Amino acid sequence: MQYSHSNRGIDVVWFKRDLRIRDHTPLANALSRGRQVLLLHIYEPTDLAHLTTSNRHLTFRWQAWTALCKEVRALNWPVQTAVLHAPALDVLKYLHEVSGIRALYSYQETGLAHTFIRDQAITRWVRINEIPWHEQRQQAIYRGLKHRKKWANDWHNTMRGGLTRASPGPNLERFEVPEWPPGWACVETPHVTHCNDPGGCGPFQKGGEREARRYLQTFFEGRVKGYRRQIGRPLESRKSCSRLSPYLAWGCLSMRQVYQTFQNADVPRAKMDLKAFGSRLRWQGHFIQKFESECRIEFESVNRGYADFPYHGTPESLAAWKEGKTGIPLVDACMRCVINTGYLNFRMRAMLVSFLTHHLDHPWQAGVEHLARCFLDFEPGIHFSQFQMQAGVTGINTIRIYNPVKQSMERDSEGLFIREWVPELAKMPIEYLHSPWTQPPMERLWSGLDLTYADPIVSVESAGRAAREKLWKFKKTNAVREEATRILRIHVAPSSLD
């Protein structure tokens, strides 16, 4: 039996990467307009099987959804909640058959190809069934945007807008949630269905709005001091960086909430730190917009001129990089850290990608899914754009080839981070710690040190030099230059090109 959306049925708020109740426009609209409202979160089989998904993502989502439902109950909102494991379209079809869907509310998701294909299928279905789907844009992100003429102004205007407050309307009433088909209702955190989960002993940051607000509060109450100086250091940055990225990636906070908190912050003796943090906020939206404008970059380089760029990396070197067993202490420490905790500061992430693509000579596609699984804050719009930028295949950005030994000596000069994550080197003298291969063999043999740490799988100096020559030569080709011109026209504001 089909129900007319005009006179009966439920209003469904579909939560995806927006797991919060504050500053949530689709939720606020459904509560004010609806009569019977279902708050819905779905673990889809295609997502559990996707090679960018890891169990840490699923756990974070579960924690965030559980916290959201707990708060909804505490507020005594007359709504129903459901978390399901099934294809989203099947869920909506079933709901429409047994209860009737009056309207569907959600944010547009900056997701992967399979989620976009799903959204296209749902769009066709709601049109056929005459169900309004109120899709809200997030932070001035436009699908398929062809230029940036007014984008920066739109972003700033959105950030300065009022925060949306959700409140039950006068017509809201409780109702019976339908009985779900067998296997749909989730009673515990689902797990990935592929065999490439990174595992990790943790601790990982916990999901939920309350945790997000705690990180936001402690950052602007004092942790921001030292941000500018310590942002590039793998150990100190774990405290001095905001650590808000997982909460933005999974929507426990909106960027508007963060932006307005930043604008109102008054932290003594932290003016330059606040300025450095604020300068990075719009970059988050910039890279997400870049991905939405050219979503093909999930699979191929934004600059098509690099389609034939030659790589000669071996399966053995790729495996060593993924496992943190390259013989380069800082590279291995960073990989082991992000596998086990889900977090790594930006500079060290960039160094990992640089080492993979430049020193080990692998295409960025070889490592993009592995680090997506490792990063608790995996955000597709940022991840694929940044991976290509650090791999040097955009044709518009400065080519940066990070020397991991130099980075180690500058960013972990006392070796505290390395000793924590590479225990094989815990007793290595500091003069050899950043490059253990320089220790004379006999001295190492007679020192009584752990000898299990691998020799470097590549020469940092010669591999870096070869990569630099190859990248600069390729960047000068006509194909890359023509593509670079096209990219600038689409992704850079006209004033920036003058």
Side-chain angles (χ1 to χ4, degrees):
M1 177 179 181
Q2 295 293 315
Y3 293 91
S4 170
H5 64 78
S6 61
N7 52 28
R8 63 177 302 177
I10 61 175
D11 294 271
V12 179
V13 185
W14 179 16
F15 290 80
K16 293 179 274 187
R17 282 178 166 263
D18 46 276
L19 298 171
R20 64 182 183 275
I21 63 173
R22 292 165 183 79
D23 199 31
H24 195 293
T25 303
L27 173 63
N29 289 341
L31 292 182
S32 64
R33 303 170 185 171
R35 187 169 61 87
Q36 298 179 343
V37 175
L38 174 67
L39 312 186
L40 177 66
H41 186 54
I42 307 172
Y43 287 92
E44 297 185 79
T46 52
D47 192 27
L48 303 189
H50 201 272
L51 289 176
T52 61
T53 304
S54 62
N55 286 329
R56 64 192 61 182
H57 301 153
L58 305 180
T59 298
F60 191 91
R61 287 168 57 184
W62 183 268
Q63 293 165 342
W65 180 254
T66 301
L68 184 153
C69 294
K70 182 178 179 180
E71 188 162 10
V72 165
R73 289 193 298 270
L75 291 168
N76 200 30
W77 285 358
V79 300
Q80 290 284 11
T81 63
V83 56
L84 305 176
H85 174 212
L89 183 55
D90 289 355
V91 172
L92 296 176
K93 286 180 177 179
Y94 179 78
L95 276 172
H96 195 51
E97 179 181 348
V98 301
S99 301
I101 296 178
R102 202 170 71 122
L104 176 63
Y105 296 83
S106 75
Y107 275 112
Q108 282 186 351
E109 178 183 4
T110 299
L112 300 164
H114 70 278
T115 65
F116 184 54
I117 292 170
R118 172 207 64 199
D119 285 353
Q120 290 177 313
I122 291 175
T123 297
R124 291 191 293 269
W125 179 78
V126 295
R127 286 176 179 170
I128 291 171
N129 288 274
E130 299 182 330
I131 300 171
W133 185 4
H134 305 288
E135 262 194 306
Q136 189 78 23
R137 282 196 303 269
Q138 299 209 58
Q139 58 160 319
I141 303 299
Y142 298 84
R143 284 181 172 171
L145 187 67
K146 299 301 181 184
H147 59 76
R148 294 292 187 98
K149 291 180 181 178
K150 297 181 180 180
W151 183 83
N153 287 335
D154 287 348
W155 187 89
H156 280 289
N157 289 335
T158 301
M159 294 303 107
R160 293 166 183 153
L163 299 177
T164 303
R165 183 176 182 273
S167 180
N171 298 321
L172 213 57
E173 62 182 33
R174 297 190 184 277
F175 66 101
E176 288 293 326
V177 70
E179 182 178 344
W180 304 109
W184 279 22
C186 291
V187 295
E188 60 183 5
T189 311
H191 293 86
V192 295
T193 53
H194 58 71
C195 301
N196 295 282
D197 187 74
C201 61
F204 300 104
Q205 289 176 263
K206 294 181 179 180
E209 277 189 271
R210 183 176 179 179
E211 285 291 312
R213 293 197 303 273
R214 182 173 68 85
Y215 275 93
L216 185 67
Q217 180 179 353
T218 59
F219 181 64
F220 287 111
E221 284 183 348
R223 287 193 297 111
V224 67
K225 294 180 181 179
Y227 173 86
R228 185 169 60 100
R229 178 169 45 87
Q230 297 176 348
I231 188 174
R233 301 180 180 275
L235 187 61
E236 292 86 344
S237 62
R238 301 185 72 83
K239 179 179 178 181
S240 62
C241 283
S242 74
R243 306 296 300 273
L244 296 175
S245 54
Y247 303 104
L248 288 167
W250 299 106
C252 301
L253 284 173
S254 71
M255 177 54 78
R256 183 160 53 189
Q257 288 174 296
V258 176
Y259 179 86
Q260 294 187 10
T261 304
F262 154 73
Q263 289 283 19
N264 295 324
D266 183 16
V267 186
R269 299 183 299 279
K271 182 178 179 180
M272 296 306 295
D273 294 309
L274 286 168
K275 183 178 180 181
F277 175 77
S279 69
R280 287 166 170 80
L281 293 182
R282 182 155 62 93
W283 284 106
Q284 191 245 20
H286 164 76
F287 283 110
I288 294 175
Q289 181 59 70
K290 189 173 184 178
F291 186 72
E292 283 287 9
S293 294
E294 293 195 75
C295 58
R296 64 178 179 82
I297 66 176
E298 178 182 343
F299 307 104
E300 60 186 59
S301 297
V302 63
N303 189 311
R304 295 182 179 92
Y306 286 96
D308 297 322
F309 189 82
Y311 291 100
H312 304 97
T314 66
E316 292 78 14
S317 66
L318 178 61
W321 177 81
K322 288 182 178 181
E323 296 170 9
K325 296 180 179 180
T326 67
I328 311 297
L330 186 61
V331 172
D332 294 342
C334 287
M335 185 61 78
R336 297 180 192 187
C337 175
V338 76
I339 286 173
N340 282 288
T341 71
Y343 175 78
L344 193 65
N345 64 314
F346 174 79
R347 179 174 284 268
M348 295 301 102
R349 296 184 189 204
M351 184 204 66
L352 283 180
V353 177
S354 173
F355 188 78
L356 170 72
T357 57
H358 302 147
H359 293 87
L360 299 185
D361 207 17
H362 286 279
W364 61 266
Q365 293 94 331
V368 72
E369 290 173 340
H370 172 72
L371 284 185
R373 294 190 293 269
C374 291
F375 294 158
L376 182 62
D377 58 6
F378 169 57
E379 164 60 70
I382 297 174
H383 188 72
F384 291 94
S385 299
Q386 274 294 333
F387 229 93
Q388 295 179 33
M389 181 175 169
Q390 303 307 329
V393 293
T394 66
I396 63 171
N397 299 107
T398 301
I399 295 173
R400 293 184 176 89
I401 300 178
Y402 290 87
N403 182 319
V405 177
K406 182 175 182 290
Q407 291 295 315
S408 181
M409 297 174 70
E410 292 179 353
R411 308 291 173 174
D412 188 32
S413 57
E414 296 180 10
L416 299 178
F417 181 74
I418 290 174
R419 295 186 196 279
E420 179 178 355
W421 291 106
V422 187
E424 305 98 303
L425 301 178
K427 296 182 180 180
M428 176 68 70
I430 189 65
E431 59 265 32
Y432 303 124
L433 181 64
H434 305 289
S435 50
W437 56 91
T438 62
Q439 185 182 31
M442 290 305 296
E443 180 179 338
R444 186 174 186 182
L445 181 64
W446 288 99
S447 66
L449 298 174
D450 188 335
L451 301 180
T452 61
Y453 188 62
D455 291 328
I457 62 174
V458 68
S459 166
V460 171
E461 291 77 13
S462 61
R465 185 166 52 251
R468 189 172 292 106
E469 292 174 359
K470 185 167 65 169
L471 281 165
W472 278 109
K473 181 179 180 180
F474 214 86
K475 190 175 182 179
K476 296 175 183 177
T477 62
N478 290 335
V480 169
R481 287 181 170 180
E482 290 173 4
E483 272 290 285
T485 301
R486 180 194 65 80
I487 292 167
L488 290 172
R489 287 173 180 163
I490 295 175
H491 299 294
V492 178
S495 60
S496 302
L497 302 178
D498 296 339

